[in-house]
Amino acid sequence: MPLLDRNFNLSQRMTQELGRQIVCGVFDKDASLPTEAELCEKFGVSRSAVREAVKMLSAKGLISSKPRQGIRILPREQWNIFDTDLLRWSLESNPSMKVLKEFLQMRIAIEPEAAALAARNATPEKIDAIEAALERMRAAGDNLEAELEADIAFHVSILYASNNRFYIRLRDFIETALHVSIRYTSPIKANHEAVVEDHAKIFNAIKNRNPERAKHSMLLIIDEALNFIEEELTAKEQS
């Protein structure tokens, strides 16, 4: 029985499934992956589909394939963790608090400065986009999924408003990771109005062209989430 649906691009579907299994630790990291023939049988695909999937996963830094060495999983240090597929697989596999802590540390290095740049550089249209996301958050009420999507749109809109191509290029990384991390950090404030108000402070600082206040307001909400994760890690270590 083929594992993958033949109505889809088999090499892409196989890339997704095999990549997810590698990231989730299904395979022994110190051993070779199954052979081409074994992968063909396991996934119900042709050798060409297997080879294309191997090529895609090699480009992501997950594996290497060499004659007489087989297909091997590369050390995690070589994985392209900014690749959105790889990031999604990591976060879908019950991410550890350590991974979430590292992500929040990354956000602290990026988003406060992006907010400051947005206060300096945002066009009226991009300020409107941030405000629209904020209003969606406000209107979401108890609809957690709607609030999550609006929250992500708010943060991504600020990256665009920074008018810095390097920050903008981080949009996929931020968006993909936020989909999971907000679910873990949202218990910090069970108060919907308080969450909206914290984001409104960032928006108002950007709209009023106050870079330092925008930077500080963004830093506060990420630092609060980071403190929550660090408390969870400490509690686990002590238990």
Side-chain angles (χ1 to χ4, degrees):
M1 182 76 173
L3 181 63
L4 305 179
D5 190 332
R6 293 187 179 277
N7 291 323
F8 294 86
N9 181 309
L10 292 180
S11 59
Q12 292 177 347
R13 291 291 304 277
M14 184 184 169
T15 300
Q16 294 290 315
E17 185 58 32
L18 184 57
R20 186 177 291 106
Q21 290 184 14
I22 291 170
V23 170
C24 292
V26 172
F27 299 102
D28 183 350
K29 63 182 179 63
D30 297 319
S32 295
L33 289 181
T35 64
E36 273 190 10
E38 290 168 336
L39 289 172
C40 288
E41 182 176 354
K42 176 179 174 65
F43 291 96
V45 298
S46 65
R47 282 183 180 268
S48 61
V50 169
R51 288 169 184 164
E52 185 62 26
V54 167
K55 186 188 301 182
M56 287 191 245
L57 293 174
S58 296
K60 296 177 187 294
L62 276 179
I63 60 176
S64 68
S65 177
K66 296 180 181 178
R68 294 187 295 279
Q69 290 185 12
I71 307 169
R72 300 192 67 86
I73 300 173
L74 292 173
R76 286 180 176 266
E77 292 77 13
Q78 296 185 38
W79 293 5
N80 179 12
I81 58 172
F82 285 98
D83 180 273
T84 53
D85 282 334
L86 200 153
L87 181 63
R88 188 179 70 256
W89 299 330
S90 298
L91 294 175
E92 285 175 351
S93 61
N94 295 319
S96 67
M97 287 293 173
K98 183 176 182 297
V99 170
L100 293 176
K101 177 181 176 180
E102 289 176 350
F103 170 61
L104 286 165
Q105 289 171 333
M106 183 72 175
R107 286 185 63 197
I108 281 180
I110 296 168
E111 293 192 73
E113 189 59 37
L117 288 172
R120 294 189 184 99
N121 303 326
T123 63
E125 292 78 14
K126 288 178 179 174
I127 289 177
D128 288 345
I130 301 171
E131 185 174 25
L134 178 64
E135 290 308 313
R136 283 171 53 198
M137 285 186 68
R138 201 185 305 277
D142 294 331
N143 186 330
L144 297 181
E145 284 301 317
E147 182 182 11
L148 171 64
E149 293 301 326
D151 198 342
I152 291 170
F154 180 88
H155 288 275
V156 172
S157 294
I158 290 174
L159 294 179
Y160 275 98
S162 73
N163 202 30
N164 180 301
R165 70 188 72 184
F166 295 100
Y167 282 106
I168 293 169
R169 282 292 296 149
L170 291 168
R171 65 190 182 276
D172 293 336
F173 171 77
I174 294 293
E175 181 175 2
T176 303
L178 277 172
H179 267 287
V180 172
S181 66
I182 288 177
R183 298 178 194 276
Y184 283 82
T185 57
S186 58
I188 300 168
K189 278 195 175 111
N191 187 322
H192 170 74
E193 288 75 19
V195 172
V196 173
E197 180 58 29
D198 285 344
H199 286 71
K201 289 176 183 177
I202 300 169
F203 167 71
N204 288 328
I206 292 172
K207 184 178 180 180
N208 293 326
R209 304 298 182 180
N210 190 324
E212 284 307 312
R213 184 171 294 173
K215 181 176 183 176
H216 181 67
S217 298
M218 179 67 81
L219 177 61
L220 282 179
I221 67 170
I222 303 174
D223 190 55
E224 188 176 35
L226 181 58
N227 285 335
F228 171 76
I229 295 298
E230 287 176 336
E231 287 172 3
E232 289 289 306
L233 282 169
T234 300
K236 287 188 176 182
E237 289 171 359
Q238 294 176 348
S239 62

